[in-house]
Amino acid sequence: MAMASNHLRNLTRISVHRILHHRFQSLLNAARFFSDAASSVPQPQPNQQSSPPSSLKDYELAKFAAIADSWWDSEGPFKPLHVMNPTRLAFIRSALCRHFKKDPYSAKPLEGLKIADVGCGGGILSEPLARLGATVTGVDAVEKNIKIAQLHAGLDPVTSTIEFCCTTAEKLVEEGRTFDAVMALEVIEHVANPADFCRSLSALTVPNGATVISTINRSMRAYATAIVAAEYILRWLPRGTHQWSSFLTPEELVLILQRAGINVEEMAGFVYNPVTGRWSLSDDISVNFIAFATKSNSTE
Amino acid sequence: MNRLMKKTISNVRALKIPRKYFCTEGVKVAGSTTGEASNEHEKKQAINKIIPQYDIAIVGGGMVGMALACFLASMPMTKQLNVAIIDSNPALASGLHIKKEDAPDPRVSTVTPASISFLQDAGAWKYVEQNRHAYFNVMQVWDYTGLGYARYNARDVNKDFLGCVAENKVLHNALLSCVKDSDFKTTIYPLRLSSMTLNTSSMSIVEENTNSVEPSSAQGHGAKLQLSDGSSLYAKLVVGADGGKSHVRELAGIKTTGWNYSQNAIICTVEHTSENVCAWQRFLPSGPIALLPIGDKFSNIVWTMSPAESNSRKSTTEEEFLKDVNYALDYGYGPRPTSGLLGTRDMFSWFKMDAAISTNEFFEIPPKVTKLASERMVFPLSLRHANSYSSKRVVLIGDAAHTVHPLAGQGVNLGFGDAFSLSRIIAEGIALGSDIGEVNLLKKYEAERRSGNIMMMAILDGFQKAYSVDFGPFNILRAAAFHGANYISPLKKSIISYASGDHKLPIFL
Ligand SMILES: Cc1cc2nc3c(=O)[nH]c(=O)nc-3n(C[C@H](O)[C@H](O)[C@H](O)COP(=O)(O)OP(=O)(O)OC[C@H]3O[C@@H](n4cnc5c(N)ncnc54)[C@H](O)[C@@H]3O)c2cc1C
Ligand SMILES: C[S@@+](CC[C@H](N)C(=O)[O-])C[C@H]1O[C@@H](n2cnc3c(N)ncnc32)[C@H](O)[C@@H]1O
């Protein structure tokens, strides 16, 4: 028993990110402040003739289609996602357990939760969520990703229940689908209009539900780390995977989520340790960060 | 671990049960659900279609494989796992029925305080204490030249004991009972592993198949194991706990590095006229002889020597052998050490201020051996280390990953450490929804264990090398080292701590 609780203590140590709560208030204020002068918040682009507005950026999608075969190659182009996965799941697990009052000591704490994984790619996040007991719907705009995700998840009876569809967040909204929690990890930097995208995520989330978003910060350090290191030096990602100008800062993300009716409650940074080759959660949100947000009860 | 449900779900699958009675979710019914398939055709179909699927297949249910099962059974994250244990050792199927008064077995292990605490937490140690075992709190190590000795005392490191010696069958039985008395779902296959296919489901087939993605769970997933009766099973993770000649390691294509010492160890159990309470080790020209207390008036002997010597000592009369043992443990090959000889005491006396308590203890003569209490067994000594401990869906623990010679009784302890570490990493993986056969997860285990194991192996190899040469000046240096070890207490503490399983860097080498 001592052994088991020891282990769980390790897990709960993850909730260190709560300290961010404090720091986060000032960030939130900064964000509000920012909103008055906001001009660098990406504005809707006038390229939509039909409703719903599409979040798709064709050349972004082409980049993912080109390397789709390698989704599950843990040493391939998606290696950073594989390596980061346990860390972000630790954040998501503890945030969801707290918000939905689930037992963190359970092996399947997410049982009973309906979760959407928007921009699921090959299902790197969808599969662990299903193993943790959630009922998962994974959607991605790239057909090939969905095929890979289906094939891979089908190998394990537990993950074969995941519903994968080639569609977008806005189409799911049109279909009137809702979820207890909506995930969009490492996707927002690839969409055409982050504000519209966040509105769709909000519409997919039930009142009192949760939204989790992770992305890369538009800081100089993020530029150096994510683009130069990952794409050029380490050759993890094909060149051109990221465009610096499409990154959001944490303040911008908080703001556009707020406008979409979602309140960011916790935020944590991911830091990479090149010596151990591991990622860990920290309060340094200058490069990669993840935000846990909830939708207020009062629906607009 | 509080067990509200004291139900035994473990079951032993008899060889004869047709595969069709096992659904893909694993065996939920006890092995008693027998019955013959009505005809051959049906049988074949059953074999083709319904292959049992497990989360983990532990190949090799020796002490280390069973320790892993115990650790998994004791944690909330892992106790719902569906585990298969594959081993043809009849002890697993029948369950050992050992009694305290049974004749002692020659195979014993020295369990370190660190291993004991793992086993206590998992609920297995209490079963060890029900049978013959011996804690010891003093250890005396000396050398045939008579130039030096060292006595280690548990008090020096603020422990109650330095270790506990128990027969392997006692340890094995304790682990087995612990698993059986838990509500952990295990299925024992009294068979051997014959081959293994690691399912590397190629993703490139997607291109042609885009329109017909079928839910492929019918074909199972993970590694496919073929057993000696022709049956097979699937597992998400295969644990190779199948000993020094690991078949899993070979099938996974993992190479080893190592060498054989041209030395053998004779092991046997002996009897004294009174109870022995100390662990003794004397270094002789041909290698060390150890006398370990195992409870009652018994002790175990592990005596290293050349293959020729070992063969003749195995077959001599009991009388001859006992004479040799007593000679080797006391005055044979050289005098008893006396403090102050050659001025070594003076040489180190300036350390005395800082000396550990046992510095004041005098050299003692080990108790005489009066009777042989078991057969004599001979083992060749070798050192072997797997170049990697893991690959996709495969992980090695215990002797399958490393074999060391039995000099400091570390063999099984390294294995218990492996099993404990792996169980925690699996628990962590489950908590985060990982695929437990995922190589990134298994590499964490490897990173945690490998360097420590290599360190211990290097130390033991160093000891071995130091004692396989017999040059005058070296002997004096060695004795000085012993004397030094006896007088410099921080140094000695680190030796004891390391040997007793606390993972500190051994600064003395
Ligand atoms: C002479 C000697 C003295 C020793 N003294 C000590 C000591 O004092 N202290 C100490 O800690 N250690 C000692 N050791 C080492 C210790 O015995 C081993 O480290 C320990 O037994 C390793 O346990 P294991 O479970 O990894 O392997 P093993 O005990 O070898 O168990 C392997 C199991 O796998 C099974 N198996 C093998 N192949 C297959 C297959 N293809 N399919 C299915 N099952 C299979 C076997 O039946 C067996 O049950 C000593 C070793 C020797 C040789
Ligand atoms: C970096 S990957 C992240 C994959 C996954 N969320 C993860 O973190 O493991 C981004 C994914 O978003 C998808 N994507 C990009 N724009 C999208 C959009 N507008 N709607 C849905 N999916 C989109 C891409 O096809 C790609 O699979």
Side-chain angles (χ1 to χ4, degrees):
Chain A
M1 199 61 216
M3 177 165 66
S5 55
N6 225 347
H7 162 67
L8 281 157
R9 206 173 309 133
N10 283 342
L11 272 180
T12 41
R13 205 181 298 144
I14 286 154
S15 54
V16 167
H17 62 253
R18 285 215 106 180
I19 36 165
L20 260 180
H21 227 93
H22 281 307
R23 242 185 130 212
F24 187 66
Q25 280 309 318
S26 54
L27 192 72
L28 203 69
N29 295 339
R32 281 207 194 93
F33 204 75
F34 192 77
S35 68
D36 301 329
S39 56
S40 53
V41 175
Q43 293 299 312
Q45 273 148 34
N47 63 347
Q48 342 142 329
Q49 321 102 315
S50 63
S51 65
S54 169
S55 61
L56 301 179
K57 250 182 181 172
D58 288 344
Y59 61 90
E60 287 284 347
L61 300 181
K63 286 189 285 199
F64 285 104
I67 49 173
D69 281 340
S70 50
W71 273 108
W72 286 97
D73 175 359
S74 60
E75 293 297 315
F78 295 106
K79 178 176 173 171
L81 293 181
H82 285 283
V83 187
M84 209 196 269
N85 219 25
T87 315
R88 58 193 198 173
L89 276 151
F91 176 90
I92 294 169
R93 181 190 213 272
S94 86
L96 291 181
C97 280
R98 201 161 338 126
H99 182 71
F100 291 102
K101 309 214 161 37
K102 297 286 186 181
D103 175 15
Y105 292 86
S106 158
K108 289 188 181 293
L110 305 186
E111 229 149 29
L113 292 183
K114 255 171 66 185
I115 299 186
D117 180 9
V118 176
C120 63
I124 296 175
L125 180 76
S126 320
E127 288 195 13
L129 290 174
R131 283 195 201 93
L132 292 177
T135 305
V136 181
T137 300
V139 303
D140 199 285
V142 175
E143 167 115 33
K144 219 165 148 192
N145 292 349
I146 290 298
K147 294 289 178 204
I148 304 266
Q150 263 167 341
L151 197 81
H152 193 271
L155 296 173
D156 183 344
V158 186
T159 51
S160 63
T161 55
I162 302 173
E163 173 196 25
F164 284 110
C165 317
C166 179
T167 183
T168 58
E170 50 283 10
K171 292 218 184 83
L172 284 181
V173 174
E174 265 193 345
E175 291 166 21
R177 307 265 318 245
T178 55
F179 303 87
D180 298 307
V182 176
M183 313 280 132
L185 303 198
E186 314 302 321
V187 179
I188 200 164
E189 66 271 26
H190 303 287
V191 306
N193 185 324
D196 286 346
F197 183 69
C198 286
R199 263 192 288 282
S200 302
L201 298 183
S202 173
L204 291 176
T205 311
V206 297
N208 276 328
T211 312
V212 180
I213 292 182
S214 75
T215 186
I216 305 181
N217 197 339
R218 193 182 66 233
S219 67
M220 249 358 246
R221 269 200 50 216
Y223 180 76
T225 317
I227 303 188
V228 180
E231 294 184 19
Y232 293 86
I233 302 172
L234 300 173
R235 301 278 163 90
W236 278 350
L237 301 174
R239 286 181 199 179
T241 305
H242 293 105
Q243 263 192 316
W244 191 49
S245 59
S246 54
F247 295 171
L248 295 168
T249 63
E251 293 84 350
E252 288 165 350
L253 181 66
V254 168
L255 185 70
I256 59 176
L257 282 172
Q258 215 171 40
R259 286 187 179 160
I262 306 179
N263 300 312
V264 177
E265 295 193 347
E266 284 181 47
M267 202 179 272
F270 291 121
V271 288
Y272 181 71
N273 179 341
V275 179
T276 59
R278 305 256 158 76
W279 291 84
S280 53
L281 287 172
S282 88
D283 55 3
D284 174 4
I285 53 176
S286 61
V287 182
N288 289 81
F289 63 96
I290 186 162
F292 175 80
T294 55
K295 186 172 168 177
S296 51
N297 210 351
S298 54
T299 34
E300 305 122 284
Chain B
M1 203 67 251
N2 282 328
R3 282 199 188 85
L4 300 171
M5 258 173 59
K6 279 241 173 195
K7 216 180 83 193
T8 304
I9 306 193
S10 319
N11 56 67
V12 176
R13 199 175 66 65
L15 284 156
K16 288 280 160 55
I17 307 168
R19 200 94 26 243
K20 68 176 254 183
Y21 291 97
F22 296 89
C23 64
T24 42
E25 290 153 49
V27 190
K28 291 210 182 103
V29 227
S32 53
T33 325
T34 47
E36 294 298 323
S38 49
N39 59 52
E40 278 305 308
H41 172 71
E42 217 179 286
K43 221 180 204 169
K44 269 201 188 114
Q45 259 205 337
I47 288 168
N48 288 339
K49 276 205 172 148
I50 307 160
I51 296 176
Q53 174 94 55
Y54 294 92
D55 293 312
I56 301 179
I58 301 176
V59 182
M63 289 187 284
V64 175
M66 290 314 298
L68 175 66
C70 257
F71 296 148
L72 293 173
S74 69
M75 289 187 288
M77 287 293 155
T78 50
K79 67 189 216 187
Q80 86 299 336
L81 288 172
N82 193 3
V83 174
I85 300 173
I86 301 153
D87 196 322
S88 55
N89 178 355
L92 266 86
S94 57
L96 284 160
H97 296 289
I98 50 175
K99 286 191 251 58
K100 257 194 123 144
E101 33 324 328
D102 282 352
D105 210 62
R107 305 211 55 175
V108 306
S109 293
T110 312
V111 190
T112 61
S115 298
I116 291 173
S117 86
F118 295 157
L119 297 175
Q120 250 159 0
D121 289 348
W125 191 251
K126 59 176 186 278
Y127 299 98
V128 175
E129 288 186 323
Q130 288 165 10
N131 279 296
R132 187 171 29 233
H133 66 282
Y135 289 100
F136 61 92
N137 52 23
V138 184
M139 186 167 131
Q140 175 175 298
V141 183
W142 74 110
D143 165 283
Y144 72 95
T145 58
L147 298 183
Y149 72 92
R151 277 175 77 86
Y152 301 108
N153 199 309
R155 279 173 304 177
D156 298 349
V157 285
N158 299 318
K159 291 216 157 88
D160 294 333
F161 50 85
L162 292 172
C164 182
V165 188
E167 290 152 67
N168 287 0
K169 69 173 184 200
V170 169
L171 290 167
H172 194 225
N173 186 61
L175 294 161
L176 211 57
S177 306
C178 178
V179 173
K180 285 194 171 159
D181 291 352
S182 71
D183 47 7
F184 192 49
K185 224 194 291 171
T186 55
T187 307
I188 293 170
Y189 286 81
L191 298 167
R192 300 186 73 73
L193 172 72
S194 41
S195 73
M196 179 166 78
T197 326
L198 298 169
N199 196 348
T200 47
S201 53
S202 162
M203 280 294 149
S204 49
I205 46 166
V206 178
E207 302 262 10
E208 298 92 71
N209 263 3
T210 33
N211 295 319
S212 62
V213 179
E214 37 167 330
S216 45
S217 38
Q219 73 203 42
H221 77 291
K224 186 176 183 182
L225 302 184
Q226 230 102 42
L227 307 184
S228 46
D229 70 343
S231 67
S232 38
L233 56 90
Y234 283 109
K236 291 179 197 169
L237 174 62
V238 180
V239 179
D242 49 349
K245 298 201 174 85
S246 174
H247 201 35
V248 171
R249 185 180 67 209
E250 189 191 322
L251 291 171
I254 299 174
K255 299 263 180 300
T256 62
T257 311
W259 47 87
N260 297 323
Y261 300 98
S262 54
Q263 280 188 308
N264 286 351
I266 282 198
I267 63 169
C268 63
T269 298
V270 294
E271 214 174 327
H272 310 282
T273 46
S274 61
E275 190 167 349
N276 170 26
V277 288
C278 172
W280 312 84
Q281 187 154 35
R282 186 177 189 226
F283 287 90
L284 304 174
S286 55
I289 179 167
L291 182 76
L292 303 166
I294 63 166
D296 302 335
K297 286 176 185 168
F298 298 110
S299 285
N300 188 262
I301 284 185
V302 181
W303 188 2
T304 306
M305 60 190 80
S306 73
E309 280 176 298
S310 70
N311 289 334
S312 72
R313 288 222 171 88
K314 185 180 154 79
S315 49
T316 55
T317 61
E318 176 175 344
E319 203 190 352
E320 272 299 307
F321 182 75
L322 293 179
K323 212 179 90 197
D324 283 358
V325 168
N326 284 321
Y327 184 73
L329 281 170
D330 190 2
Y331 49 84
Y333 308 97
R336 290 172 189 159
T338 47
S339 314
L341 194 81
L342 244 182
T344 36
R345 167 160 262 186
D346 291 332
M347 218 163 109
F348 290 95
S349 57
W350 52 279
F351 282 117
K352 246 195 131 176
M353 287 180 298
D354 199 26
I357 301 158
S358 44
T359 314
N360 304 321
E361 288 183 13
F362 289 107
F363 174 81
E364 282 187 28
I365 299 161
K368 281 256 166 325
V369 168
T370 54
K371 229 166 119 185
L372 192 60
S374 78
E375 57 171 325
R376 284 161 275 181
M377 298 173 81
V378 174
F379 292 91
L381 299 186
S382 64
L383 187 140
R384 199 148 290 282
H385 197 231
N387 295 349
S388 145
Y389 288 6
S390 58
S391 62
K392 193 166 167 57
R393 305 218 173 276
V394 178
V395 66
L396 304 176
I397 60 174
D399 278 20
H402 41 73
T403 57
V404 296
H405 63 78
L407 193 75
Q410 288 301 323
V412 83
N413 295 294
L414 294 182
F416 287 154
D418 291 347
F420 182 70
S421 158
L422 180 63
S423 69
R424 278 169 61 233
I425 296 231
I426 291 172
E428 198 177 304
I430 289 171
L432 298 177
S434 311
D435 172 357
I436 55 171
E438 196 178 282
V439 74
N440 282 333
L441 188 72
L442 303 176
K443 288 289 171 206
K444 276 192 209 169
Y445 153 75
E446 176 160 353
E448 203 170 294
R449 293 302 298 168
R450 223 177 122 79
S451 54
N453 288 347
I454 288 177
M455 177 79 71
M456 185 49 97
M457 291 174 87
I459 292 170
L460 295 181
D461 190 47
F463 261 120
Q464 169 72 24
K465 295 246 161 71
Y467 283 92
S468 44
V469 278
D470 188 16
F471 292 127
F474 272 110
N475 291 349
I476 295 176
L477 277 179
R478 207 154 66 198
F482 263 127
H483 246 87
N486 207 21
Y487 280 102
I488 309 164
S489 67
L491 181 75
K492 204 164 73 172
K493 275 181 192 159
S494 78
I495 295 175
I496 310 176
S497 293
Y498 198 75
S500 59
D502 293 350
H503 295 290
K504 250 185 260 151
L505 281 188
I507 44 147
F508 63 102
L509 279 181

